[in-house]
Amino acid sequence: MFVLPTFNLGVVGTVFAAGGFNISTRDTEANISASTPTNPSGEVTIAYGTDTEDFYIWDGSSWYVYNNI
Amino acid sequence: MSTLLTCTSSTRPGSPAAGDTLFETDTNKVIVYSGTAWKEYQDNGQLYNDSDITALSPHLWLDGAGGYFYDDELKTSLVSNHGQQVGTWADRSGNGFDFTQATATSRPTIINDFGPTNKTFLLYDADQLSFTGTTSSEIPGAGSTMFFVLHFGVVSGDYILSSSDSSTRIRSTASTILGTLFFHCQNYAGTANSSTYLATNTNDVLSYKVGIVAFRFGASLAESFVNGTTQTDTETSIGTGNVLTNGVTYRLFDTSVGPTQPNMLGEYMVYDSALSDTDMNTVTNYLGKKYGITVATL
């Protein structure tokens, strides 16, 4: 299972005081799939599926899924 | 919105800190620096939407994903574990055209985590599932489209779909030498027996690989497709009979083949029309994402 990192110098997201990384886009897979976010230059969007517990990355044209195992 | 910075496999940061996390655009890997090494997390394929298929109202849809396997022909219990045998592959279309096998020794086997995106297939060697047509399943052949997602052993003469009255038989022809496999419709909706009708190109695209084979039958044109690519051979003589005909039994894989060259089926769809190019692309793209197959666009 992918373990979210404690320190994230390469991550652009919300950082809690405890140092954890927070994925702010949390939604059902269907809603994530239906969305087409605009990525900042040199970055990709990451989202978390509340119904699947998988996470997803939008590369600018497709969503890629990373399964919870 | 949360984002990850990107790199490529050849441009990873040279002096990372523990916890640094990036997305590699050339491999689709998420990489995390542990403090001593990069740890890699590979994607499980592109996200696909089942709604793309349900919106097209398939006439019959056998889907290896999502829990449509049962232990026996009576659908006593769901089965999903690798190695379990399947007595019913339930039709996901909602029409109830389930394929079944009452003989325990002839039931295909579940293969989990197979192929580029770790999908579920049914393995057939000497096994088969069958469905006997009803008045509601029967559709004209001229106005039908079929998709198969399969991993095919190079087995000559195996029927991937055949009817008990021999009016429809889709089969392979191959030598034991890799690269000579093709599929064709020996019969379809009552066409005459033929060894060449609607043949896919002869190549190794489908030899021991996961691929998509499709056949589209209009009123005056029949075409075959491999991974979304229109095949060279087309036909203008279309069968005037039906498929999934009332009272006729249809079998998925009905020729015994050796265990060293088993065939596997991940998905089977039938549509009661000759799909438009747009709809063909929708189905092909869905299957391509789902099974990790690079597909062409019509």
Side-chain angles (χ1 to χ4, degrees):
Chain A
M1 183 178 72
F2 175 67
V3 179
L4 294 174
T6 303
F7 302 99
N8 305 281
L9 297 181
V11 178
V12 182
T14 303
V15 179
F16 290 121
F21 170 62
N22 182 271
I23 300 177
S24 60
T25 301
R26 299 182 296 275
D27 207 333
T28 62
E29 182 180 270
N31 286 339
I32 293 170
S33 176
S35 65
T36 55
T38 300
N39 289 336
S41 178
E43 301 175 19
V44 294
T45 299
I46 185 170
Y48 179 78
T50 53
D51 56 340
T52 62
E53 299 185 345
D54 295 335
F55 77 89
Y56 307 88
I57 286 180
W58 172 257
D59 73 347
S61 59
S62 298
W63 283 104
Y64 289 86
V65 61
Y66 296 74
N67 290 340
N68 173 49
I69 57 174
Chain B
M1 182 174 73
S2 304
T3 59
L4 298 176
L5 295 178
T6 61
C7 66
T8 69
S9 54
S10 60
T11 61
R12 292 178 176 180
S15 304
D20 279 2
T21 305
L22 297 97
F23 176 75
E24 285 187 349
T25 56
D26 58 335
T27 66
N28 295 332
K29 291 178 181 176
V30 172
I31 59 171
V32 181
Y33 194 69
S34 69
T36 57
W38 288 106
K39 302 300 181 184
E40 301 176 344
Y41 303 89
Q42 185 66 60
D43 71 287
N44 296 92
Q46 294 183 53
L47 191 59
Y48 56 89
N49 299 314
D50 287 344
S51 59
D52 289 344
I53 301 303
T54 55
L56 296 175
S57 300
H59 187 61
L60 165 63
W61 184 9
L62 301 185
D63 182 1
Y68 297 94
F69 296 145
Y70 291 84
D71 59 343
D72 60 23
E73 76 282 11
L74 303 176
K75 301 169 74 171
T76 302
S77 301
L78 282 165
V79 290
S80 60
N81 293 336
H82 184 86
Q84 286 187 295
Q85 294 189 314
V86 172
T88 296
W89 194 346
D91 174 20
R92 190 179 176 179
S93 74
N95 291 325
F97 304 147
D98 298 344
F99 275 65
T100 64
Q101 177 54 264
T103 303
T105 54
S106 296
R107 292 171 179 156
T109 302
I110 295 173
I111 301 295
N112 283 333
D113 301 324
F114 185 80
T117 54
N118 301 317
K119 285 296 178 289
T120 297
F121 286 69
L122 283 191
L123 182 147
Y124 298 77
D125 41 35
D127 310 311
Q128 59 186 253
L129 293 174
S130 62
F131 164 72
T132 298
T134 65
T135 53
S136 59
S137 71
E138 182 173 304
I139 56 175
S144 63
T145 309
M146 291 190 178
F147 292 84
F148 301 84
V149 176
L150 43 76
H151 180 277
F152 206 75
V154 183
V155 181
S156 190
D158 196 10
Y159 293 98
I160 57 175
L161 180 75
S162 66
S163 65
S164 57
D165 64 354
S166 298
S167 63
T168 293
R169 295 185 292 179
I170 299 174
R171 57 163 281 176
S172 67
T173 292
S175 80
T176 57
I177 302 171
L178 191 68
T180 61
L181 171 68
F182 68 93
F183 294 93
H184 63 92
C185 295
Q186 186 168 350
N187 310 86
Y188 194 87
T191 56
N193 188 49
S194 170
S195 60
T196 58
Y197 185 87
L198 204 55
T200 64
N201 297 358
T202 300
N203 55 49
D204 70 345
V205 169
L206 294 165
S207 300
Y208 306 114
K209 300 181 183 72
V210 177
I212 305 166
V213 180
F215 300 95
R216 176 170 66 177
F217 297 85
S220 58
L221 178 66
E223 302 156 285
S224 60
F225 306 85
V226 173
N227 296 341
T229 298
T230 308
Q231 303 296 282
T232 304
D233 182 36
T234 60
E235 305 288 347
T236 55
S237 176
I238 314 298
T240 56
N242 297 316
V243 292
L244 302 178
T245 306
N246 185 27
V248 175
T249 298
Y250 290 79
R251 293 178 289 268
L252 288 167
F253 291 108
D254 82 333
T255 299
S256 297
V257 298
T260 58
Q261 291 179 301
N263 302 309
M264 286 183 271
L265 187 66
E267 199 125 349
Y268 173 52
M269 295 181 191
V270 180
Y271 292 87
D272 59 359
S273 66
L275 293 182
S276 67
D277 283 358
T278 298
D279 290 343
M280 290 291 292
N281 288 334
T282 297
V283 177
T284 302
N285 286 327
Y286 166 88
L287 294 173
K289 290 178 180 179
K290 189 173 185 178
Y291 291 93
I293 302 165
T294 301
V295 299
T297 300
L298 294 178

